[in-house]
Each structure stands twice: as C-alpha cells, then as structure tokens.
Amino acid sequence: MAKSEPKSSREKVLQTLLMREQCTITDLAEAVEINPISIRHHIAKLEAEGLVDSEEERHGVGRPRRLYFLTEKGREQFPTRYIRLTVRLLEQLKEVASPAFIRTLFTQMAKDMANEYRAEALDLTIDERFQLVQKLLTREGFSVEIEKQGGYYYIRESSCPYFHIGVNHPEVCSVDQTLISTLLGVPAQKIQCLLQGDAACTYLVPTEAISENDTPIIERSPAG
C-alpha cells in the first residue's frame, strides 16, 4: 500500500508537541523515530525561532526533567482558531441537543463526505478501495499508513486533525471510523486511539470481510 507524503523530522516534532502538549527529549525521539541528539538539534532551532519553549519538572527523587512545549507562535503554525470556533459551536449545540442527536449528526456528516467519492468507489478492487480511503483521509488532514498483515488490513493514523476537538468532544472520533466503514462497506474495528495515549489511531479490517462484500455500501443522505 502507498504511504502518505512523508513529513520532515521538524514537522513531526511540531506535530508531536501539538498532540501531546509536553514532551521530553526521549519522548520526542521515540515519537519521531530519530536519535535524541538529532531531536536536540531540531529543538534548538525551534527554540531560536520562538516556536518551542521548555520548563523543568520535578518528579520524585533525582534530577528534574525538562519538558518541551509549543509557544503561542508555535501553535499558530496550526489552524487553532478554527479549532476554538468548532469547540465553541459543539458546546453550544450540546446545550440544546441530545447526545444521541450529536452522534447521529457526526455519523451522517461522515457518510455525506464518503458519498462524494461514491462514483470512484464503484467497481474498485480491494486494494483500490483502500487507496481511496487513504486519499480521502489524507485530504481531510490525517497522516495515514495502510498495511496488510496476515488476515487483516491495518489503517494507522499517526496524526489527527480533530485531536484537540476530540479531547473534550470524543464524538468527533466517529467521523474517520464511519468514513472507513462506509467506503469499504464493512465495519472497521478501532483497536488504538491517540486520545487514549496510543501512538496512532488504528483500525482493523479483516480481509475475509472485504472479500465477502465486493461492493462498497455507501448510503445517500435523506432527501431534504
């Protein structure tokens, strides 16, 4: 399976700090998958540009550890104002709507997004369907990698454009899961989640289930 356009180590450092709020050099090295010396080199440059700052934190006996985080300038590298607006809209909506309505709203929104790809999804092979899923998720802002291993397909999202919204409004997590399930025509099982501290949101799809369902099930929105 093809992978998303690779991000630079610098971009990965910034993305990791955005998602995890605070990290040690060791945390960043593990997340970005480069050695700590290289991480320190990137951090020094980012600090010089005013994008990253740090503070010491004491934790038990021993030397305090240094935690790195994005400055306001660093956060401005990402569309945070739209995130704040979305969060406010959701808070207002939850004051007047039931939880069931909110869940239905997100599910239907994801199905509508998938329906934009309906014509492309028809008569595709299994691998082509997954390529379409990757194309759609990447366009929505996810960093996606798809791997076939054993009797399963693994869809891994190492970054999520909805992460900061999902912290307080986890209903948004249904969007990508619904997109995947709708385009493939079979349920995708979520086995890992960034919101739970995992390294990626990971979905599991049995190859057998795909083989048994040759035509993607894509529902149209109700008229009106």
Side-chain angles (χ1 to χ4, degrees):
M1 287 288 179
K3 296 183 179 180
S4 300
E5 187 69 23
K7 287 183 169 63
S8 68
S9 295
R10 171 193 170 94
E11 290 174 320
K12 289 179 180 178
V13 169
L14 289 170
Q15 186 76 46
T16 301
L17 290 173
L18 178 69
M19 291 191 299
R20 302 190 184 182
E21 300 289 347
Q22 294 182 322
C23 291
T24 64
I25 292 293
T26 301
D27 294 334
L28 289 168
E30 291 176 353
V32 180
E33 297 182 337
I34 60 176
N35 63 63
I37 294 176
S38 297
I39 287 293
R40 290 186 186 279
H41 177 72
H42 286 295
I43 286 292
K45 285 190 172 183
L46 292 170
E47 286 182 315
E49 296 173 30
L51 302 178
V52 170
D53 202 350
S54 65
E55 62 184 9
E56 286 190 344
E57 179 189 66
R58 294 192 174 278
H59 61 298
V61 179
R63 296 175 58 185
R65 62 180 181 175
R66 183 158 290 277
L67 296 175
Y68 296 87
F69 52 88
L70 293 180
T71 62
E72 188 64 30
K73 182 179 178 181
R75 289 186 175 277
E76 287 173 357
Q77 305 300 304
F78 302 91
T80 53
R81 63 170 58 91
Y82 301 109
I83 292 174
R84 289 196 294 269
L85 176 61
T86 302
V87 168
R88 288 172 183 167
L89 285 171
L90 283 171
E91 289 172 350
Q92 292 292 320
L93 186 59
K94 284 184 173 181
E95 289 184 6
V96 297
S98 68
F101 176 83
I102 300 295
R103 289 193 297 271
T104 300
L105 183 66
F106 276 114
T107 298
Q108 188 58 56
M109 180 172 61
K111 288 180 178 179
D112 289 344
M113 292 164 63
N115 278 336
E116 296 176 10
Y117 287 75
R118 187 173 190 275
E120 295 182 53
L122 297 175
D123 302 320
L124 293 181
T125 65
I126 294 172
D127 284 348
E128 287 171 341
R129 293 184 200 177
F130 278 95
Q131 289 170 10
L132 181 60
V133 166
Q134 185 174 45
K135 176 183 176 181
L136 175 54
L137 290 174
T138 299
R139 183 172 294 182
E140 288 302 308
F142 294 89
S143 294
V144 187
E145 180 178 335
I146 300 177
E147 178 185 14
K148 184 180 179 183
Q149 189 176 42
Y152 297 92
Y153 285 93
Y154 291 84
I155 303 173
R156 297 185 179 93
E157 301 165 347
S158 57
S159 67
C160 172
Y162 311 142
F163 179 83
H164 285 279
I165 298 171
V167 170
N168 293 314
H169 303 285
E171 300 90 350
V172 75
C173 289
S174 67
V175 171
D176 52 329
Q177 187 168 11
T178 302
L179 282 172
I180 295 167
S181 300
T182 302
L183 281 173
L184 295 179
V186 296
Q189 179 187 358
K190 192 169 192 176
I191 59 174
Q192 291 182 318
C193 182
L194 286 165
L195 288 176
Q196 302 301 319
D198 295 316
C201 288
T202 302
Y203 294 95
L204 191 67
V205 181
T207 55
E208 182 180 350
I210 292 289
S211 300
E212 291 174 352
N213 189 14
D214 290 333
T215 304
I217 302 172
I218 301 182
E219 298 181 17
R220 294 186 178 277
S221 301

